[in-house]
Amino acid sequence: MKQGPARGRNGRARLVRVALPCLVLTATMGLAEAQTVTPDMFSPTRQSLVLNPDSPLRRTGAEVADPLNDARQRDPDRERRAPTRLGQVPSYGLPAANGAATAGYDSLNRKRQKPKYYPGQARPKPPPGLGTPAPTPPQRNATGGLRLSIPPSESANKSPIAPAMAGTVPGQPPRKRLKIDDDPFGAVGDYAGSFLVKSAVEFMGGYDTNPGRLNSPQGRAFYIISPEFLAVSDWERHAVVADLRGSFTGYGQNLTPNADGTPLSAPLDIDRPNVIGHIDGRIDVSRDTRLTAQARLLVTTDNPGSPNVQTGLARYPLYSTVGGTFGIDQNFNRLQISAGATVDRTDYQWSKLTDGASSSNDDRNFSQYGGVARASYELTPAVKPFVEVEGDSRVHDLRLDRNGFARDSNGGYVKAGSSFEFTRLLFGEVSIGYAARNYVDPRLSQLNGLLTTASLTWTATPLTTVKFYSDTQLGETTLPGTSGVLSRTYTVEVDHDFRRWLTGIGKFTYGTLDYQGDNRTDKIYSLSGDLIYKLTRSLWIKGTLRRDILDSSSPGSSSASTVVMLGVRLQN
């Protein structure tokens, strides 16, 4: 009785030990059989099970009996998530930023910011790359089948986006507007190394009713050739500026001598060259210390109608003035002090007379040595008052001139003024002072007078600019017993742009010439109008009408002239 249960338990244990290996072997054989490829897998029934997930053979009994239990029927978005590609236009290439993350690189410069999530908050799936069109459900026909025709693209019948409108892509920030060109028809220039070079030449032709400024006018046709050259350095420190301008005025024929045989007060050949230029340099020694230098050149003749013009001349004698200034500028906070030394040399050609003889002008040759100092203080960035003092000495090659007067002299000036700029609408410099010159010869009185200088620019409207210039000079003369000439000029100029390509310029000049030591006083009036038609940046058409009047207290010296010119300007 005691061994029965034991034998039963041992028997059941042995049965379990035998059954377990059999089950493992059976499962292994079933798995091997399931992985074995049989011809039955390629039967039509087998293919319908694999290729058609909606086949009833793939559903459970509950799904067949109640379609609502089928998960495929409860998910209406199943086909929308996996659309067919039949009938869709293929897209080639990668759109901009297609592989960029929410904060990655974007060639369209669109801003990307990473969203902030709280700890434990679910992160949404990243959206498709920018530029990738959203998937659309396939179009179906009336019978429910797929429409296989290719629909028109979104860009059909639409003009392509211009390169300048590239900033209009959705999501891209607007492009910054380019700065409006203040002078859209101005010369652009070319770079020669580190220098910006601009050049131009004008060809003008016209008619002058009185080119010799005679009391009895004689009109002549003329032409003018005027070249220009400008070079500006583009350096981080130091600077060099070269500005050279010239002109040559040629007339078709010479003036006719007086019928009574008296010589003209103007030469028969009235062709006149004129060259003016300067080269300015600056060396930045330190932030507050600068060395400055200037070389200047002037080649011209006496002005028509001047009493310095000899009678009986065959043509105008040329004279040249070559000089230079060497100085230093020093800043002491808002106080700036400038000082420099000046040297100038003036030489005259010999005069050629109508009878073939020559006349010397060596008594008019002189050298000038001087110095100038200026102190200015910056009250505000827009207002900077200053005081300027200049002194010089003129030494002639000949002690006595052709009339027996010693022309050596010492002189100078002192003036005070201010440079200013008010809201960029009115800016410039204005000053007032006193100038005087004493001569070695006691028979020559002191040459002196009020000194006024100004250079103002007022932008009245965006299309209209008003300019005002004023200058005072102490000049030499050959009149016997006359110390010199005190000349003052005042000019008002109005520029108006009717269009960007059409500009009108009106100018009025008034001047006085006071020959101290003589009773002669001249007044100058000049009224001119220019019309400039700008075809391109390189080609302008220019027309000028000018009226010049010389009113002199000396009998027979007054004159009047009307000038008409038309020409072109070529610039680069």
Side-chain angles (χ1 to χ4, degrees):
M1 296 297 293
K2 294 181 179 179
Q3 293 180 354
R7 286 193 300 269
R9 287 193 295 269
N10 295 335
R12 287 193 298 271
R14 284 192 296 268
L15 289 175
V16 171
R17 294 190 186 100
V18 173
L20 284 176
C22 294
L23 290 175
V24 171
L25 179 61
T26 304
T28 305
M29 293 178 62
L31 180 60
E33 183 180 358
Q35 292 179 350
T36 303
V37 178
T38 63
D40 176 63
M41 296 181 62
F42 299 97
S43 64
T45 304
R46 188 78 176 193
Q47 292 181 18
S48 64
L49 293 175
V50 175
L51 302 180
N52 188 8
D54 296 331
S55 174
L57 298 178
R58 298 292 300 272
R59 302 182 186 179
T60 62
E63 291 176 348
V64 173
D66 186 5
L68 296 179
N69 291 330
D70 190 353
R72 300 176 182 84
Q73 301 296 333
R74 294 197 306 268
D75 189 0
D77 297 331
R78 177 172 173 268
E79 289 185 348
R80 189 179 305 161
R81 293 198 311 270
T84 179
R85 295 185 178 181
L86 295 177
Q88 301 296 324
V89 178
S91 176
Y92 301 99
L94 294 178
N98 188 42
T102 55
Y105 172 77
D106 188 351
S107 61
L108 294 180
N109 197 27
R110 289 176 285 201
K111 294 183 178 179
R112 290 171 170 268
Q113 295 181 354
K114 274 189 174 183
K116 295 182 179 180
Y117 300 100
Y118 296 101
Q121 182 180 359
R123 267 73 168 173
K125 294 182 179 180
L130 294 177
T132 303
T136 57
Q139 298 181 2
R140 297 181 179 274
N141 53 23
T143 60
L146 292 177
R147 181 180 178 182
L148 300 181
S149 61
I150 299 177
S153 62
E154 296 181 357
S155 60
N157 302 324
K158 295 182 181 180
S159 58
I161 298 178
M165 300 175 59
T168 60
V169 177
Q172 183 182 9
R175 298 178 61 182
K176 293 182 179 180
R177 290 181 175 269
L178 298 177
K179 181 183 178 182
I180 298 177
D181 193 347
D182 297 332
D183 190 5
F185 289 91
V188 178
D190 294 319
Y191 273 93
S194 59
F195 282 85
L196 175 62
V197 179
K198 295 184 179 181
S199 58
V201 60
E202 291 186 3
F203 301 94
M204 306 287 291
Y207 187 82
D208 191 340
T209 60
N210 190 7
R213 301 304 186 262
L214 303 174
N215 190 257
S216 299
Q218 296 185 28
R220 291 291 184 273
F222 68 93
Y223 64 91
I224 300 178
I225 302 176
S226 304
E228 299 177 7
F229 177 82
L230 176 66
V232 181
S233 64
D234 187 11
W235 302 336
E236 183 178 356
R237 295 183 58 194
H238 320 306
V240 174
V241 177
D243 188 359
L244 304 175
R245 303 171 187 270
S247 67
F248 178 81
T249 305
Y251 293 85
Q253 56 183 346
N254 296 337
L255 298 181
T256 304
N258 294 329
D260 56 1
T262 58
L264 292 174
S265 58
L268 299 180
D269 185 358
I270 51 178
D271 294 349
R272 297 182 61 207
N274 183 69
V275 177
I276 184 172
H278 61 89
I279 301 176
D280 299 327
R282 189 192 75 240
I283 298 178
D284 299 329
V285 179
S286 65
R287 185 186 65 177
D288 298 325
T289 305
R290 296 172 297 276
L291 299 179
T292 60
Q294 182 189 71
R296 48 187 174 268
L297 169 67
L298 172 64
V299 179
T300 186
T301 65
D302 290 324
N303 293 324
S306 171
N308 296 328
V309 178
Q310 297 173 261
T311 58
L313 287 176
R315 67 169 182 263
Y316 288 110
L318 298 178
Y319 77 88
S320 63
T321 299
V322 181
T325 300
F326 308 92
I328 183 173
D329 294 346
Q330 180 66 44
N331 289 346
F332 301 95
N333 200 353
R334 294 188 177 185
L335 178 64
Q336 179 179 355
I337 297 179
S338 305
T342 61
V343 178
D344 293 277
R345 173 66 183 177
T346 301
D347 289 291
Y348 280 81
Q349 277 185 338
W350 280 42
S351 300
K352 291 187 177 181
L353 306 179
T354 55
D355 58 3
S358 298
S359 175
S360 174
N361 290 313
D362 292 344
D363 59 338
R364 302 184 67 181
N365 300 338
F366 67 91
S367 300
Q368 177 176 305
Y369 312 94
V372 60
R374 176 169 175 158
S376 59
Y377 185 80
E378 183 181 332
L379 291 178
T380 66
V383 179
K384 194 173 183 179
F386 66 88
V387 176
E388 184 173 326
V389 179
E390 189 267 349
D392 62 73
S393 177
R394 294 178 181 175
V395 180
H396 288 72
D397 292 356
L398 300 180
R399 179 176 175 273
L400 300 177
D401 67 357
R402 65 194 66 185
N403 297 310
F405 289 89
R407 292 286 178 178
D408 293 347
S409 62
N410 299 312
Y413 65 81
V414 57
K415 63 180 180 179
S418 176
S419 59
F420 53 86
E421 179 181 353
F422 298 125
T423 66
R424 297 189 179 273
L425 298 180
L426 177 62
F427 61 90
E429 181 177 301
V430 61
S431 64
I432 188 171
Y434 180 80
R437 179 164 296 280
N438 298 312
Y439 293 86
V440 174
D441 198 318
R443 294 174 295 176
L444 299 177
S445 61
Q446 185 187 59
L447 177 63
N448 55 52
L450 185 65
L451 182 67
T452 57
T453 58
S455 177
L456 303 176
T457 301
W458 173 41
T459 306
T461 68
L463 301 177
T464 305
T465 303
V466 181
K467 301 177 182 179
F468 175 74
Y469 305 101
S470 175
D471 192 19
T472 303
Q473 296 290 337
L474 301 180
E476 297 284 316
T477 183
T478 59
L479 292 178
T482 304
S483 303
V485 55
L486 177 65
S487 60
R488 298 188 183 94
T489 56
Y490 308 92
T491 302
V492 178
E493 179 181 329
V494 180
D495 301 353
H496 181 75
D497 294 332
F498 300 99
R499 294 290 187 272
R500 283 190 171 188
W501 42 266
L502 185 62
T503 302
I505 302 175
K507 184 185 297 183
F508 174 74
T509 300
Y510 170 76
T512 59
L513 302 175
D514 183 12
Y515 294 87
Q516 296 186 3
D518 195 345
N519 295 327
R520 175 165 178 165
T521 301
D522 295 346
K523 295 181 180 179
I524 298 175
Y525 306 90
S526 179
L527 180 63
S528 66
D530 297 339
L531 188 63
I532 302 175
Y533 182 71
K534 305 173 183 178
L535 294 175
T536 64
R537 285 185 180 268
S538 302
L539 178 61
W540 295 3
I541 299 178
K542 182 178 179 181
T544 301
L545 176 62
R546 188 177 75 241
R547 177 68 174 176
D548 297 333
I549 298 176
L550 174 60
D551 183 10
S552 178
S553 61
S554 176
S557 299
S558 299
S559 64
S561 175
T562 301
V563 181
V564 180
M565 293 186 294
L566 181 64
V568 297
R569 176 184 175 88
L570 305 177
Q571 61 183 13
N572 182 21

